[in-house]
Amino acid sequence: MKILVIGSGGREHALAWKLRQSPQAERIFCAPGNAGTSEVGENVAISVNDLEAFVRFAKENRVDLTVVGPDDPLAAGIVDLFTAEKLRAFGPTKSAARIEASKIFAKELMRTQEIPTAEARTFSDSGEALRYCERAKFPVVIKADGLALGKGVAIANDAATAQSTIDEMMNQRRFGDAGRRIIIEEFLQGTECSIHALVDGKNYLLLQSARDHKRALDGDRGPNTGGMGAFSPANNWNSKLQSQFEKEIMRPVLRGFLQERIQFRGLLYPGLIITSEGARVLEFNCRFGDPETQALLPRMKSDLLPLLEATIDGRIDRCAIEWDTRAAVTVVLASAGYPGKYETGEAISGLEEAAKLKDVQIFHAGTKRANGEVATAGGRVLAITALGLTIEDARERAYDAVSSIHFENCHYRRDIALSAVPANIGKSS
Ligand code: AMP
């Protein structure tokens, strides 16, 4: 089979790396890809938002399956375009992708299906939102309705912060149209957990649990990022939570889609917060998580390709996934300054030595190859995953590999998965 993976991050490198291992995979294209994906497949210079160019490429090259990594092309309807041209693509249609692309749509669906989530109010008028904040109980969480590269969520501890956030989102349009409408919701206390599910329209199959680290700095300080690391399995997940999750979240969300006459086929991953009263949904994502995918796929023993095909064909109920029982820890190396301004073009050394380490996998994100060298080309540069018998063991191996990689102004967190190491359980982060 000829497979096209759309995107250029660590998630896409992990997907391409895993699909490459399938006996059915004949050729893999990555568009636009990065220096890492060019080692497992062929990079194609198409920008992620050029949907028509993807359709043309898939037709001309007789691509059998396209796997869409990021949310933007899904929200723009790339799967609808492919389907109209009788091309196979993995991912939800435009209307199903609204579960991620519109936080208000997601909230309404959760409300009608009584899915546990934070109490929220929706505003399309900034004056009304500002007045609401005069008598709100703080902290509150303010969310832009649309996609904002993971930056459209702010936690306001007081009225002044809430007011400036509302003004930035709704009046100054910091996130463009994404902030035309906003949600203000209660702040939930707890620890976060990511559960990925392959959803085929009627049924679903859960992947292993994972946790990511969203904040830029150790101890969960600093601004929110796309994700600075992850580990799997999550140490705050258990079978009791899983049955609550299936009964109160997964089945109702599928029922909600059916009632709206929407067929969701693809990867659905609810971001959860585990409170003292159980799991609550913070958001729904309609594609693989980044960096959770880089921690999950090295643990997946089964071939990913037939699972994606079964999801598209509506027969995921006949599938099972075999998992490596070992733990995985993923550490993201970023350019200093990320998620704000950062420099690119720094040469990266030590990749080959690190790749030789046992049970270590190096996934590229913001990298490019120039004059035979690999250099930085983005905010998140690499994701280093290691497997280990315990989380502690996987952590040590991952940080060992990290220590042999160098580039100017490299920044990474030292405390990825630390809270899951038995001696530290109960401590912060
Ligand atoms: P979201 O994009 O909705 O997942 O929000 C991004 C991050 O903001 C989450 O990963 C949480 O860390 C935090 N967050 C979002 N909603 C809430 C909430 N209601 N209570 C506490 N933290 C939240």
Side-chain angles (χ1 to χ4, degrees):
M1 278 178 72
K2 288 186 193 164
I3 303 162
L4 166 65
V5 176
I6 294 182
S8 62
R11 164 184 51 209
E12 287 76 21
H13 186 187
L15 285 166
W17 166 83
K18 182 68 184 160
L19 291 167
R20 168 91 277 167
Q21 294 164 36
S22 173
Q24 290 179 67
E26 190 189 308
R27 240 174 127 179
I28 305 224
F29 301 105
C30 298
N34 56 40
T37 60
S38 68
E39 284 166 19
V40 286
E42 300 157 54
N43 282 358
V44 180
I46 302 176
S47 115
V48 159
N49 295 315
D50 195 348
L51 309 192
E52 300 290 346
F54 283 121
V55 171
R56 272 198 308 276
F57 179 85
K59 272 187 172 170
E60 280 166 14
N61 292 279
R62 299 177 188 275
V63 169
D64 299 293
L65 174 68
T66 298
V67 182
V68 187
D71 46 16
D72 272 333
L74 292 167
I78 191 165
V79 173
D80 309 59
L81 274 181
F82 268 64
T83 312
E85 298 288 341
K86 302 209 164 24
L87 293 163
R88 267 164 88 75
F90 177 86
T93 57
K94 182 175 182 169
S95 92
R98 275 185 299 160
I99 195 84
E100 174 166 4
S102 168
K103 290 193 188 280
I104 295 176
F105 173 82
K107 255 313 173 211
E108 278 164 11
L109 192 143
M110 286 192 267
R111 201 170 284 151
T112 34
Q113 300 303 326
E114 295 178 7
I115 292 173
T117 182
E119 282 297 325
R121 294 264 316 253
T122 299
F123 297 92
S124 46
D125 178 85
S126 64
E128 233 176 85
L130 290 167
R131 276 194 297 284
Y132 174 78
C133 285
E134 284 167 14
R135 45 199 166 75
K137 214 171 106 214
F138 288 93
V140 293
V141 184
I142 305 178
K143 301 185 175 185
D145 175 43
L147 296 177
L149 294 171
K151 294 178 188 161
V153 174
I155 294 162
N157 287 314
D158 50 59
T161 316
Q163 281 158 2
S164 60
T165 305
I166 292 167
D167 187 52
E168 270 182 22
M169 283 186 186
M170 300 188 86
N171 300 332
Q172 296 173 36
R173 292 290 170 93
R174 178 164 171 222
F175 305 115
D177 259 5
R180 198 168 50 82
R181 296 195 295 164
I182 62 162
I183 277 181
I184 303 183
E185 70 180 31
E186 71 175 313
F187 177 84
L188 296 174
Q189 205 83 49
T191 54
E192 290 178 50
C193 186
S194 307
I195 304 294
H196 287 59
L198 290 164
V199 176
D200 73 357
K202 298 183 295 292
N203 295 297
Y204 63 86
L205 182 61
L206 297 184
L207 273 58
Q208 285 277 310
S209 61
R211 277 182 78 174
D212 76 347
H213 296 65
K214 281 227 160 62
R215 308 287 285 268
L217 307 174
D218 282 12
D220 279 340
R221 287 173 299 113
N224 260 340
T225 67
M228 294 298 293
F231 61 95
S232 172
N235 59 327
N236 58 352
W237 194 242
N238 56 44
S239 55
K240 190 168 161 228
L241 280 169
Q242 181 155 326
S243 33
Q244 180 226 346
F245 169 73
E246 300 204 37
K247 183 165 158 258
E248 296 178 10
I249 298 170
M250 277 315 289
R251 282 185 219 129
V253 74
L254 261 67
R255 190 173 62 222
F257 277 124
L258 289 179
Q259 283 175 10
E260 299 270 338
R261 298 188 191 289
I262 294 169
Q263 193 169 54
F264 188 104
R265 284 183 165 172
L267 193 291
L268 183 68
Y269 116 61
L272 306 175
I273 189 157
I274 314 300
T275 70
S276 53
E277 284 147 43
R280 302 277 176 275
V281 176
L282 288 181
E283 60 166 352
F284 282 106
N285 299 290
C286 68
R287 34 79 203 171
F288 283 93
D290 188 341
E292 290 94 327
T293 306
Q294 294 91 305
L296 286 168
L297 292 184
R299 295 191 62 214
M300 186 185 275
K301 283 186 163 177
S302 308
D303 186 347
L304 177 63
L305 185 52
L307 291 167
L308 301 185
E309 297 234 74
T311 305
I312 298 175
D313 294 335
R315 42 181 182 79
I316 201 69
D317 56 328
R318 283 177 253 160
C319 300
I321 306 176
E322 198 192 335
W323 293 97
D324 194 322
T325 52
R326 288 177 297 170
V329 170
T330 302
V331 179
V332 168
L333 305 192
S335 303
Y338 170 78
K341 271 197 173 152
Y342 53 80
E343 303 279 328
T344 59
E346 306 289 359
I348 306 173
S349 64
L351 289 170
E352 276 167 24
E353 292 89 295
K356 282 186 201 137
L357 296 170
K358 197 168 170 283
D359 294 324
V360 166
Q361 216 37 251
I362 295 172
F363 296 117
H364 290 230
T367 66
K368 67 166 193 276
R369 195 174 287 277
N371 310 324
E373 276 202 349
V374 178
T376 67
R380 290 189 292 172
V381 176
L382 297 162
I384 315 299
T385 299
L387 291 170
L389 285 177
T390 60
I391 284 274
E392 195 169 8
D393 183 24
R395 237 189 132 248
E396 262 172 39
R397 284 166 190 268
Y399 279 105
D400 251 2
V402 166
S403 67
S404 55
I405 298 172
H406 299 280
F407 59 87
E408 197 67 23
N409 297 323
C410 169
H411 163 70
Y412 62 90
R413 278 181 63 162
R414 266 80 175 164
D415 65 346
I416 301 303
L418 191 59
S419 66
V421 170
N424 295 298
I425 284 173
K427 293 186 188 163
S428 66
S429 100

